[in-house]
Amino acid sequence: MKIRTLGMLLIVIVMAVFLIINWGTLSQVTTVNLVYTEMEAPLGIIVVAAFAAVVVLLMAYTVWQQASVMMELRAAYKEARTARQMAEDADKSRIAEIRADFKERMEKMEALLATRTDEVIRLMAERNQLEDETLSKFRAEQQARADEARASLEQQLRVLEKRVIEALPAPKAEVVEQQSDAKEEEEARKTFRELF
């Protein structure tokens, strides 16, 4: 119990004890003036009854006020609960919207990233193909130059060999040997050309 309630209960008990002790004096009949008339009645009982009526009315008013406050509190609590529920629902919907927006942005970003990756892969493939073609052309040119240089060198060697053979008379055995050496050399050159 609250201290205020205990205090009021203590006052009521003290007053009840006072009334019980002084009941004889309070119940004596006297002349009571009611402004417009006079009558014979116990003044103490009239005062106690009036006081009790006022107390009862005050108590009824207090109970009514507390009941109205309780009803207002319940209504406010209900409103607060409804408002909290609406706020939670709004938060949930906002969170759902944020999730949906985030998911949509992530999907767009993934699509953009995939597109850019495909573009980069395509460009790299084109560059690789272009480099392969350039390298193939360069190899073909180098091979053609090497073949031309080899053919020119072989031509010069043949011319030089003819001049040397014409300039020096060689014995017949040496000529046969030179011819076999020349054939071997020609076969070696042919093999060398086939290999490279």
Side-chain angles (χ1 to χ4, degrees), residues 127-145:
R127 285 186 183 173
N128 286 342
Q129 185 178 1
L130 185 62
E131 287 176 2
D132 287 346
E133 290 174 2
T134 306
L135 190 58
S136 296
K137 287 179 184 177
F138 180 72
R139 284 182 184 163
E141 289 175 5
Q142 290 297 323
Q143 187 65 34
R145 287 181 187 166

Side-chain angles (χ1 to χ4, degrees), residues 54-110:
V54 169
V55 169
V56 168
L57 285 173
L58 285 174
M59 287 178 63
Y61 177 73
T62 305
V63 169
W64 176 76
Q65 235 181 359
Q66 284 184 351
S68 64
V69 167
M70 289 295 287
M71 289 175 65
E72 286 178 13
L73 282 174
R74 282 186 185 172
Y77 178 72
K78 193 174 183 181
E79 265 182 50
R81 191 171 45 193
T82 306
R84 187 177 65 206
Q85 187 65 36
M86 288 174 62
E88 286 177 1
D89 292 344
D91 284 346
K92 286 178 185 176
S93 65
R94 263 188 260 138
I95 289 171
E97 287 175 10
I98 289 170
R99 278 188 186 154
D101 185 45
F102 182 73
K103 187 176 180 182
E104 182 181 339
R105 287 185 182 188
M106 286 300 290
E107 287 173 357
K108 284 181 182 178
M109 193 174 276
E110 286 176 0

Side-chain angles (χ1 to χ4, degrees), residues 4 9 15 21 36 39 51 77 85 87 89 91 93 97 114 129 136 144 151 154 171 181 193:
R4 184 177 61 183
L9 187 60
M15 288 178 71
I21 292 172
Y36 60 89
M39 64 180 272
F51 182 71
Y77 178 72
Q85 187 65 36
D89 292 344
D91 284 346
S93 65
E97 287 175 10
Q129 185 178 1
S136 296
E154 286 177 5
D181 286 343
R193 274 189 235 133

Side-chain angles (χ1 to χ4, degrees), residues 61 122 161-162 171 177 192:
Y61 177 73
R122 184 181 53 80
E161 189 179 340
K162 281 184 183 179
E177 191 178 319
F192 181 76

